[in-house]
Amino acid sequence: DGGITQSPKYLFRKEGQNVTLSCEQNLNHDAMYWYRQDPGQGLRLIYYSQIVNDFQKGDIAEGYSVSREKKESFPLTVTSAQKNPTAFYLCASSPRGAANQPQHFGDGTRLSIL
Amino acid sequence: AQTVTQSQPEMSVQEAETVTLSCTYDTSENNYYLFWYKQPPSRQMILVIRQEAYKQQNATENRFSVNFQKAAKSFSLKISDSQLGDTAMYFCAFTRLGGSQGNLIFGKGTKLSVKP
């Protein structure tokens, strides 16, 4: 079955450490997205990529970095510059240029600070 | 900038009854899409229903229907014959056509509890 796989499900970060969240999709979607979800807040867009080797900042990109070397993969790195990284992170994908296609979501990664 | 507002942080409904969740949005765009997503305790986001702004007819998916009022920028979700499995966070979302197409803007969500 096609879908989006996020790993790990739970992740702990030490102070000053960079950590990378994995997102892989086999839906053949061009576009991929990273969202952050905090309690009492809606999902907020961190980064998105409409095509391989290209990505754009979302609303809260500071302290995060991404790469898009393959169509199937869109890893998110939470850097030490992100001072409040504790949150639930959701990856999504969609066909490019198709606003009428809803985004498909992974099961998420919960990141906590040690 | 587009914004999405859900004014009801929490709601509850008795099983088999009907409940309506509110959503308003602000945009200067004329062509856009609106969505309702469900996030159960498992945390996976699931599409419930979508509405194209250029369609006047309200979208319906089984027990779920919307009341889309374009002039009022209102997009409410009605759940009929509520079931225990409907217990979840519900998010209203907006995306516009063109530009950064496909980027969803979410409201803060409404936590719905269905009581037996």
Side-chain angles (χ1 to χ4, degrees):
Chain A
D1 289 341
I4 300 176
T5 301
Q6 288 188 242
S7 62
K9 194 174 180 66
Y10 299 96
L11 186 59
F12 298 91
R13 195 192 88 168
K14 295 180 181 178
E15 293 288 341
Q17 184 183 43
N18 292 355
V19 292
T20 297
L21 285 61
S22 171
C23 178
E24 304 278 333
Q25 55 100 358
N26 60 3
L27 298 165
N28 200 32
H29 286 167
D30 287 302
M32 297 187 74
Y33 310 81
W34 274 106
Y35 292 93
R36 170 177 171 144
Q37 186 176 24
D38 294 283
Q41 301 269 349
L43 277 66
R44 293 181 290 169
L45 183 64
I46 305 173
Y47 268 98
Y48 64 98
S49 169
Q50 301 277 5
I51 197 169
V52 174
N53 292 323
D54 185 56
F55 48 83
Q56 305 295 327
K57 291 182 179 180
D59 299 323
I60 54 166
E62 186 174 352
Y64 300 97
S65 65
V66 293
S67 62
R68 187 82 187 280
E69 297 177 1
K70 298 186 300 181
K71 187 176 183 178
E72 301 79 17
S73 178
F74 190 43
L76 173 74
T77 296
V78 184
T79 74
S80 58
Q82 173 47 247
K83 300 305 180 187
N84 184 24
T86 297
F88 187 65
Y89 292 86
L90 281 162
C91 179
S93 70
S94 68
R96 187 166 67 103
N100 59 339
Q101 296 297 319
Q103 294 183 1
H104 298 254
F105 289 84
D107 290 340
T109 293
R110 178 166 295 283
L111 176 62
S112 303
I113 294 293
L114 283 177
Chain B
Q2 291 84 11
T3 58
V4 177
T5 302
Q6 293 179 249
S7 59
Q8 305 150 315
E10 292 192 42
M11 293 190 72
S12 64
V13 63
Q14 291 296 129
E15 197 175 6
E17 293 187 348
T18 296
V19 63
T20 298
L21 308 183
S22 301
C23 173
T24 58
Y25 58 95
D26 188 23
T27 183
S28 58
E29 303 284 337
N30 194 46
N31 294 319
Y32 50 87
Y33 290 85
L34 295 161
F35 305 89
W36 278 98
Y37 283 88
K38 170 184 177 180
Q39 188 179 40
S42 65
R43 304 302 297 269
Q44 187 178 27
M45 295 288 284
I46 303 165
L47 176 71
V48 174
I49 199 166
R50 69 167 178 250
Q51 175 80 41
E52 293 90 339
Y54 61 86
K55 288 188 178 179
Q56 292 186 334
Q57 186 174 3
N58 289 324
T60 299
E61 288 287 342
N62 300 314
R63 297 183 296 107
F64 299 88
S65 61
V66 299
N67 183 5
F68 174 50
Q69 302 289 331
K70 190 173 184 180
K73 295 181 182 175
S74 172
F75 183 60
S76 61
L77 175 69
K78 185 172 82 171
I79 305 174
S80 304
D81 186 24
S82 297
Q83 300 176 359
L84 296 178
D86 294 334
T87 293
M89 284 291 292
Y90 286 82
F91 293 95
C92 180
F94 166 101
T95 190
R96 66 183 181 93
L97 298 179
S100 300
Q101 192 168 334
N103 299 338
L104 289 168
I105 299 170
F106 287 86
K108 292 188 176 183
T110 296
K111 183 177 181 181
L112 177 67
S113 298
V114 180
K115 300 184 184 302

